[in-house]
Structures are given as structure tokens and as C-alpha cells.
Amino acid sequence: MPNQERGRMSTAGKIIKCKAAVLWDVKQPFSIEDVEVAPPKAYEVRIKILATGICRSDDHVMSGNLIAKFPVIVGHEATGIIESVGEGVSKVKPGDKVIPLCLPQCGKCSSCIHPNGNLCVKFLLSRKGVLSDGTTRFTCKGKPVYHFINTSTFTEYTVVEEDSVLKIDADAPPEKICLIGCAFSTGYGAAIKTAKVTPGSTCAIFGLGGVGLSIIMGCKAAGASRIIGVDINSRKFEKAKAVGATECVNPKHHTKPISEVLKEMTGDSVEFTFEAVGQDETVIEALASCHMSYGISVVIGCPPPSKMLTYDPMLLFTGRTWKGCTFGGWKSKDDLPKLVSDFMAKKFDLDKLVTHVLPFNKIKEGFDLLHKGESIRTVLTF
Ligand code: COD
Ligand code: ZN
Ligand code: ZN
């Protein structure tokens, strides 16, 4: 029996003690702890994480902008290897390389059944921080530690449900393909699947982080001829242009609202706008920036909880379409295999999105790079 196989079998069915980055409470720093990861129950799998990206949504949990149950292990953009499986698991086996899916596809709920739905009911249930049986598989210092959006990947081992895992090619590079677990799919899908960007069109993208840059890649792949990046951090412009932006604008360099600036730049013909910042002001600005009659504006960012937007209904009355999407609008299990095979066939590359690769124990450094606006994606490796 190969050593690797024997190693896996020696842990199957047993509690694994390993390192994880625990958030004990809101606004507290990550604490690398020894945690216990219970074996997977029925229809669950335990995954050894190989690489995991740092996304702004993880930071939103730390800051309190995204509600989660504490203590929690966040992280949701990863690649791993199945270590063991629970009873009844049939679609994956130990040794398979996988991407955990923050958006599961149960195949049974109203969103999964409808051809245009993708927000599976299991995503909404995951807000409680537990798996389907109402319990958690993580323990630290004798206390339960909660799960985060069906993934929890800032740990050497995690447990997720079978519905929440996608098998990928054994030779896929972990520190790149993990981006298909969030940033790339969210942004690329917002352009291709949700907005359905058309050839020759003009697009404007608000927010040039990992998600915004992936939107640019989607607009480019759809054949848009003008792609305008909007960000208050001009240091993001070089990267945005490298992935396909034709020009970039910094709202801080203008006194007029950016919707006016874009109108002047384009002669009033921005067809598609995307909000990938997560602030109410930019949600409204993006809406106002698309063409009054045929423009489509897509909300990707998640504004802070309990915020209400005020907007002029005339913006919609004239004909604009206002949409939102999670995970780009993709049905995760149905649609991601094509993204994975396109990546493996080199139809797009993820290199430009990964600006930093750090060992897992440097997680705080990774978040510092995000806070300072220096990184697009930092990927942590184990
Ligand atoms: N105008 C323009 N750009 C701005 C402004 C502003 N007023 N304020 C900040 N920005 C720029 C920042 O400089 C930065 O470059 C960019 O906006 C945001 O980038 P990141 O790297 O912080 O964030 P991303 O790309 O990792 O994520 C952005 C989201 C908006 C997607 C994220 O914050 C979010 O809301 N996630 C929840 C929604 C969701 O579905 N996410 C997918 C699963 S995580
Ligand atoms: Zn479902
Ligand atoms: Zn994310």
C-alpha cells in the first residue's frame, strides 16, 4: 500500500488535531490554535487544505460587516485533498483533489431546481455556523468552533458536506485553482452569466480587488470593447489594465460624481456597470452610471448589515435594469467544472490575480497586505 494511502487510512474515523486560525470574537485578530476536527458524519467529507485565498468577505466577518457565529474559522476559497468520507458519500473519495464550495448545490431546493436560480437554501442555512445536523465538527479548548459558509478553510483540516465540494483535476495547481472557489467565479460569472455582457459594449467596474479584476476578465472574454476600472486606490490600475481594463478612473481625482465623469468619457453609453466594493454609495453610483434606458447594473458587493439604500426611482423608471448575484450567478456543481476545464486548457489564467503566496502561519501578514491595499489575492499554503 502506498505511504500516502496508509497515512490517510490512519486518520480516517479519528479526531484530527491540527492548526487553525480561529476568530474568537468580532474585531479580534486571528489566533492560530490547536483545534480538534471530528471525523465526517453521513454525507460529509473531511478535507486536508492545500491552499486558501484571502478574500475581503473573510475580513468582513472580522470587522462585523458580515454576520457569523463566533468563535469561527473563516476562509472559503481553497483547494484540498479529501482525507476521509462519511457514510453514504458517493461522489468523491479519499485522495480526490477538490474545491470546497461556499455556495453548495443541493439539487432539491427551489433555487437549485429553477434554471435561473443559484442561491441554494443550504447557503442560507449555513449562516448558523453548523452543518446539517445542527452541530459543528471543530472544537478548541473544549469549546465548539463554528463553520463559515459551508467551507471554513483557514485550517489544516475542515469538514464540509458532500453537496459542498467539487472534484477537480489531480494536477490542478492548488494555489491558483483555489480562486475558482470565490473571486474568479464571482467576478467572471457576474459579467458572463448575470450581466451577459455583449461584444463591442462598454463596461465600468467599481472596485478593483480580486473580484473586480475577475469581472474585467469576464467583460474581456465576452468581447467588450471598452472596460473602465473605477477605484479610489490608483495602485490597482496597473493590475486592472494587465487583465483587460482599457482605462481607469480614480473618483478622488474628480469633483463631479463618477457617473457624470463616465458619461463624459463615453458619450453616455456605458451599458454594463458592476459594483464590487460593498458600499451603499458605490451601489447607487454604479446604477446611475449605466445608460438610463438600456443599462444593466449588477450588485456583487455586500453592503454592511442593516443599511438601507435611498435612491431616486427615476433611475429605474427610465429603463435601467438593476440586478444582483452571488457567486456570479453560477450553479456551483453544474457550472464550475467548465470553468475548471477552461482553466486547465489555458483559456484564461489566474496568475495575475495571485499577488502574494505566504505560508499559513503568516495569515496576519496576508490580511495586512489586504488592509494596506497592496494585494489582489494573497494565497496561504500549508
Ligand atoms: N470607490 C471605488 N473603489 C473603492 C471604493 C470606492 N468608494 N472604496 C473601496 N474601493 C476599492 C478598494 O480600493 C479595493 O481595491 C476594492 O474596492 C475592493 O477590493 P477588495 O480586494 O477589498 O475586495 P474583494 O475583491 O476581495 O471583494 C469585494 C467584494 C465586494 C466582493 C466583497 O467585499 C463582498 O462584499 N463580498 C460579499 C459578497 C459576495 O458574494 N462575495 C462572494 C463570496 S465571498
Ligand atoms: Zn439547493
Ligand atoms: Zn470570497
Side-chain angles (χ1 to χ4, degrees):
M1 188 190 298
N3 275 344
Q4 207 186 354
E5 191 72 17
R6 200 177 298 129
R8 275 197 297 271
M9 287 185 68
S10 66
T11 50
K14 297 178 188 159
I15 288 172
I16 291 181
K17 291 187 181 171
C18 68
K19 299 279 181 206
V22 177
L23 285 176
W24 286 101
D25 211 339
V26 71
K27 295 192 170 72
Q28 296 299 310
F30 285 103
S31 175
I32 303 268
E33 303 278 5
D34 290 312
V35 298
E36 287 162 12
V37 185
K41 293 191 182 177
Y43 304 104
E44 295 173 0
V45 300
R46 190 160 56 185
I47 303 170
K48 181 179 186 346
I49 302 293
L50 301 173
T52 179
I54 291 179
C55 174
R56 180 63 72 171
S57 300
D58 302 311
D59 187 58
H60 283 333
V61 175
M62 205 174 1
S63 66
N65 277 349
L66 202 62
I67 306 289
K69 194 156 179 187
F70 289 88
V72 64
I73 295 174
V74 294
H76 58 281
E77 186 180 75
T79 315
I81 300 275
I82 301 273
E83 171 270 337
S84 61
V85 301
E87 204 187 311
V89 169
S90 58
K91 291 167 204 128
V92 285
K93 57 180 189 318
D96 284 350
K97 196 179 264 186
V98 294
I99 295 176
L101 299 171
C102 56
L103 179 62
Q105 189 181 338
C106 77
K108 296 177 197 123
C109 73
S110 53
S111 293
C112 283
I113 289 168
H114 195 280
N116 298 333
N118 81 322
L119 190 64
C120 177
V121 70
K122 282 208 173 177
F123 178 82
L124 301 174
L125 293 176
S126 75
R127 285 180 183 176
K128 294 188 177 144
V130 288
L131 298 184
S132 280
D133 73 340
T135 64
T136 154
R137 303 290 161 269
F138 300 115
T139 314
C140 183
K141 297 176 179 160
K143 296 192 183 100
V145 177
Y146 293 97
H147 296 251
F148 176 60
I149 54 172
N150 310 290
T151 40
S152 292
T153 57
F154 291 162
T155 168
E156 288 174 312
Y157 287 86
T158 190
V159 176
V160 306
E161 297 188 13
E162 190 184 15
D163 292 341
S164 203
V165 76
L166 179 78
K167 185 179 170 186
I168 57 167
D169 300 49
D171 51 355
E175 70 292 350
K176 288 182 189 146
I177 202 125
C178 63
L179 266 54
I180 290 185
C182 177
F184 181 74
S185 303
T186 300
Y188 197 76
I192 302 256
K193 173 99 179 165
T194 303
K196 298 189 170 50
V197 167
T198 48
S201 59
T202 297
C203 305
I205 296 92
F206 289 68
L208 304 176
V211 175
L213 262 52
S214 303
I215 297 171
I216 293 176
M217 290 169 78
C219 294
K220 189 179 174 191
S225 53
R226 279 185 90 174
I227 304 173
I228 307 171
V230 181
D231 201 299
I232 52 169
N233 178 356
S234 301
R235 284 177 296 155
K236 300 289 175 104
F237 295 172
E238 194 188 324
K239 277 277 171 195
K241 287 181 179 162
V243 296
T246 54
E247 56 231 282
C248 290
V249 190
N250 187 333
K252 284 189 172 167
H253 298 166
H254 297 269
T255 45
K256 289 180 190 166
I258 204 71
S259 54
E260 294 296 321
V261 175
L262 289 171
K263 237 179 230 169
E264 283 167 15
M265 283 172 72
T266 62
D268 191 20
S269 65
V270 182
E271 282 173 74
F272 302 96
T273 64
F274 300 87
E275 202 280 352
V277 177
Q279 288 172 13
D280 45 2
E281 299 83 6
T282 37
V283 168
I284 300 293
E285 263 309 287
L287 175 65
S289 297
C290 73
H291 193 276
M292 63 158 183
S293 178
Y294 53 77
I296 296 176
S297 187
V298 184
V299 178
I300 297 110
C302 179
S306 70
K307 274 239 175 179
M308 293 291 161
L309 289 178
T310 307
Y311 71 97
D312 178 356
M314 281 304 282
L315 288 171
L316 296 178
F317 175 76
T318 56
R320 290 177 177 90
T321 303
W322 206 6
K323 308 178 94 169
C325 64
T326 54
F327 208 56
W330 303 115
K331 282 187 188 290
S332 56
K333 286 210 161 194
D334 289 355
D335 296 331
L336 259 50
K338 170 86 169 71
L339 292 185
V340 171
S341 61
D342 281 358
F343 171 75
M344 296 306 285
K346 299 193 172 21
K347 291 193 183 160
F348 58 85
D349 84 67
L350 297 168
D351 296 18
K352 294 191 183 80
L353 300 180
V354 181
T355 49
H356 301 79
V357 178
L358 293 174
F360 176 58
N361 60 13
K362 296 213 166 148
I363 185 167
K364 286 183 197 164
E365 210 173 291
F367 275 84
D368 285 346
L369 289 164
L370 179 74
H371 296 149
K372 287 190 220 146
E374 284 174 15
S375 56
I376 298 297
R377 271 304 194 257
T378 296
V379 175
L380 305 170
T381 52
F382 292 79

